[in-house]
Amino acid sequence: MNYTDFDNTVAWKKLKALSGEAGQKHTHFDFAAKLTAERIKNCTIPMAGDLYYNWAARPVDEPILEALQSLADEQEVIVKYQALAEGEIMNTGEKRRVLHHLLRGQLGKPVIHEGKDLGEFYRNELKRFSGFAEAVRSGAICGASGKTFRNAVQIGIGGSDLGPRAMCLALDNWAVKKGKKKLDAFFISNVDPDDASAVISSVDLSQTIFVLVSKSGTTQETLANELFVKDKLAKAGLDSGKHMVAVTSETSPLARNPAYLDSFYIDDFIGGRYSSTSAAGGVILSLAFGPEVFAEFLAGARDADRGTLEKDIQKNAALLDALIGVWERNFLGYPGTAVLPYSQALSRFPAHLQQLDMESNGKRVNRFGVELKYATGPVVFGEPGTNGQHSFYQMLHQGTDIVPLQFVGFQNSQCGDDVEVDGSISQTKLKANLAAQIVAFAKGKNDGDKNKLFPGGRPSSLIHGKELNPAALGSLLAHFENKVMFQGFVWNLNSFDQEGVQLGKILTRKVLAGNSEDSALDAYSALLGI
Amino acid sequence: MNYTDFDNTVAWKKLKALSGEAGQKHTHFDFAAKLTAERIKNCTIPMAGDLYYNWAARPVDEPILEALQSLADEQEVIVKYQALAEGEIMNTGEKRRVLHHLLRGQLGKPVIHEGKDLGEFYRNELKRFSGFAEAVRSGAICGASGKTFRNAVQIGIGGSDLGPRAMCLALDNWAVKKGKKKLDAFFISNVDPDDASAVISSVDLSQTIFVLVSKSGTTQETLANELFVKDKLAKAGLDSGKHMVAVTSETSPLARNPAYLDSFYIDDFIGGRYSSTSAAGGVILSLAFGPEVFAEFLAGARDADRGTLEKDIQKNAALLDALIGVWERNFLGYPGTAVLPYSQALSRFPAHLQQLDMESNGKRVNRFGVELKYATGPVVFGEPGTNGQHSFYQMLHQGTDIVPLQFVGFQNSQCGDDVEVDGSISQTKLKANLAAQIVAFAKGKNDGDKNKLFPGGRPSSLIHGKELNPAALGSLLAHFENKVMFQGFVWNLNSFDQEGVQLGKILTRKVLAGNSEDSALDAYSALLGI
């Protein structure tokens, strides 16, 4: 495989030529003329989980698509994806394989590491924690005082929090409606003691099982919160050994520790932000909604991963999404992107994508450690529609910067509980708002009063489907994981390490040890009363 | 008063000259050399509510400060603030006064509108809803079945949701600790029926009071959710007239409606995103935590507003924050800003600021409707630390764009419930992380391995204080409201209308009426199954 910086590719030059003057902020793509019903019908790619990716309202035409296809070919992104899935050391910084795809399916050859078939290892852990969750749900495993568990509280931060939390929220209504929900899921993440304190006081500890998630077993915030919780369990007269399971790596200090009910394993090849489909997400999802729901979620992700092996960019949603994102970032100069799900159940999905994208591709050096001369990962933010409409959409419509938009919407609500007002149910109003926004952003509206003028030319994509169920959610998650991976390949960087988090950790330890060796650090510590 | 576009001011030219080459992304400010203990000690401004604003780690030196002072003077920002507070029509688009300051104190002359003293009107409404909240809390006002109310559910969207929700979350732990909490607060905002459905199924309706908030009384989402709730109350055999109060304007269809327990009034001079200190925030905060807590919150905001009349930018936190933000936006070219509270209680404060800032200043025309040639309001996003550290901080430290950071932190936690691990309590760890991040962002770290190199030069400010209590929260809220106002004055735009939300509403209505007159809109509607 060849690893070339983006600005040294032939495709870069093609795209540069197509973009016109350097640094232009406004695309020449004429949305008002080009966004026809036919284009909307044609610019669609089926995804797994009965979803569709529609890119009609993104500023690309045939010549740009051709250049993007040649970029994908030149940077060998599918070859690299296949190699990654088969165990190539793609995390070059930490010299690790990148195997989250293997959690949900075998995309190619088995991955053998030190004589062990890792696909088998992951499947075995899945089987173990599925059985464990079933036993908790059936009441075969109970708390210290003999009561069945009704709450599951995950203790973890970053990838052990954001993804699993977003997934639990996404399926909560659905699981209630389908009669699958047995435990309520909660999360403790922040080292701020008020976080743990508030969660603990909202649950009956005798009916609560804790899921401690730390791959390394050394995460400062998580270990502090573990002891916070154990202290509360002890004060309630409950044996913490009967109320806590661990999700960690086999080499961590938490592994095989009799202080836990059980331990489930991941390994160094599952990055935190890619761990929702591992035990890091699987244990709590299986406890709350049942192992079969988690299995459907995995199947949705697996089907998405398979579809993503397609080389034709117009048949590969994650790849096309990635490439158009690169076009918008590097040639149209857009500094951020907003994720706007028209589904309250996806309220924390943007926060997960924020980590996924910004932690993966917010990098300034290539995979060999050489400084890059082009922009990489953008700022990612978002809130659910219609809430966002009454918040920051003003700036998206009429601000001085253009922010590309990623919409998500479903035909049906999850609960099916609705009311008709003025001739339409709320779900129809929700969808009408979504359709209206896409067109308003793209086409704008002229007005003699410039304050009421909408310039339009605001690009967006739409992922849509019938309903947000486990398979659709798995597909949606994998779509964005794979999109981020492809952008990393194009930008020639390592999307799988996070050296940018280290310096803060080192300085924090120095402050706590009273040994900062930096008068500025001492001065800030003093302001905060340390 | 003179109203001049920013790029036509003398100060613009001064700042331009100081910024060096046009469009540079990296400041010449040498953080490593300049961020001394002395600067950290000196660059601080006391704020109301026992808070401090520290700007040591922002890239400004004496010449820039002088130019910013002359900018403030030239744009007459304090004169305009005083005029606004005294009732000048500052919302030029909608031809309205802007009176949220008057909700919490009389900053100047009385504001008389059509013979009515509006300060008196606001104070009278405050008195009325304080009495109502007291009666609910004491059990004098009960639900239809005679049970005391234990839950308050606000139905509202945008400013009737984000600010009040963020404030309720911010004070919840504190109120529990102080024994002031009597009702749990919930919010229904999204027109997605799953939002209302999930909230309704989590409360006992017989003990729930609903607070319906819509200034116009015509907000589509809110009216749909009102009927959703009334339907549920009816099905539970409860008279909705005994379970709902309205917060609206006196001219709205909801006003003086016997279908509600009572109605409390705001007027056209209180913008949605500025309404947390009106009945829109006050009713639910007073129900949950008591009128005296809301009064302390108002007092914190009032003291902040008074301090903000100061003309010396080095003694006026909101003004200096605004001006440095303009420097970073227009001369250093930074496209976004992150709000990072090291306090879990402020978990939704960034979402409120996102609306406050982006909806106020995300504008492309000046207050006279003439297109502007400079950048205005940036993208605003954020999550609480330490959570953000394990999410998007990678990009903030090592990404290719620079994002200025706004930190907030407190000496003490709210609950006071903590655990010591490895020689420090969690609250100390939280603060050590905050101090470490500021220094890491500013100074960076050299490394032979470029992947481990931190370029530094990432500016930040810090608002800090002893604890997050009602007065501190009021001060914090007013700080950002006033900062946004000052930036609007500098940019010469109208921060108080939101014409950018209208087009979406119009197109939505067309879709719902089956009369879109646009084949693109029809095509998207068809995709979504409308």
Side-chain angles (χ1 to χ4, degrees), chain A residues 90-358:
Chain A
M90 282 296 194
N91 179 351
T92 44
E94 298 173 300
K95 312 248 182 306
R96 291 177 180 170
R97 306 168 197 269
V98 176
L99 294 179
H100 51 276
H101 300 91
L102 193 55
L103 293 164
R104 45 239 196 179
Q106 190 85 44
L107 282 184
K109 295 194 302 263
V111 180
I112 312 295
H113 181 77
E114 297 175 355
K116 189 159 95 174
D117 181 327
L118 293 179
E120 239 177 77
F121 167 60
Y122 298 150
R123 286 188 290 275
N124 190 49
E125 291 305 304
L126 170 63
K127 205 169 139 191
R128 287 209 307 121
F129 71 71
S130 297
F132 176 82
E134 213 37 89
V136 169
R137 288 166 62 87
S138 71
I141 295 177
C142 296
S145 61
K147 291 190 194 165
T148 54
F149 288 119
R150 299 190 54 181
N151 311 302
V153 179
Q154 178 131 325
I155 307 172
I157 194 164
S160 303
D161 168 49
L162 292 164
R165 190 193 294 251
M167 302 308 132
C168 281
L169 281 170
L171 295 178
D172 196 69
N173 290 329
W174 180 90
V176 170
K177 175 81 179 169
K178 301 284 177 184
K180 308 238 179 219
K181 181 170 165 183
K182 285 216 173 160
L183 281 79
D184 283 320
F186 299 85
F187 292 82
I188 295 173
S189 51
N190 202 327
V191 76
D192 180 345
D194 290 342
D195 188 17
S197 186
V199 172
I200 296 292
S201 42
S202 71
V203 297
D204 174 354
L205 284 177
S206 69
Q207 298 201 287
T208 302
I209 183 166
F210 292 88
V211 185
L212 180 72
V213 186
S214 170
K215 187 168 67 179
S216 66
T218 62
T219 314
Q220 183 197 53
E221 290 89 340
T222 303
L223 296 186
N225 280 321
E226 179 192 11
L227 292 190
F228 191 104
V229 163
K230 282 187 169 167
D231 182 51
K232 297 294 176 194
L233 286 167
K235 283 178 182 151
L238 296 164
D239 174 2
S240 69
K242 301 218 157 178
H243 285 262
M244 200 175 282
V245 291
V247 176
T248 189
S249 67
E250 290 181 292
T251 54
S252 115
L254 306 180
R256 272 168 255 290
N257 186 331
Y260 307 113
L261 261 172
D262 208 337
S263 298
F264 304 106
Y265 300 110
I266 50 180
D267 60 26
D268 282 345
F269 310 140
I270 306 303
R273 56 193 174 273
Y274 296 93
S275 69
S276 291
T277 50
S278 77
V283 173
I284 190 142
L285 282 162
S286 300
L287 285 168
F289 311 134
E292 71 283 4
V293 169
F294 185 65
E296 288 171 36
F297 170 65
L298 287 187
R302 180 201 61 213
D303 292 349
D305 292 340
R306 289 202 179 140
T308 302
L309 286 165
E310 167 66 48
K311 286 191 176 170
D312 181 345
I313 66 169
Q314 294 193 53
K315 291 179 182 164
N316 184 333
L319 179 52
L320 186 62
D321 197 1
L323 293 167
I324 303 179
V326 165
W327 168 250
E328 291 168 343
R329 177 81 171 134
N330 294 106
F331 298 99
L332 303 180
Y334 303 152
T337 171
V339 183
L340 307 166
Y342 276 62
S343 164
Q344 187 64 22
L346 292 175
S347 60
R348 291 299 286 170
F349 195 69
H352 169 61
L353 292 193
Q354 194 171 55
Q355 178 189 17
L356 179 67
D357 201 325
M358 293 174 73

Side-chain angles (χ1 to χ4, degrees), chain A residues 192 194 232 344 414 417, chain B residues 192 194 232 344 414 417 500:
Chain A
D192 180 345
D194 290 342
K232 297 294 176 194
Q344 187 64 22
Q414 287 185 317
D417 193 11
Chain B
D192 180 345
D194 289 341
K232 297 295 176 195
Q344 187 64 20
Q414 287 185 315
D417 193 9

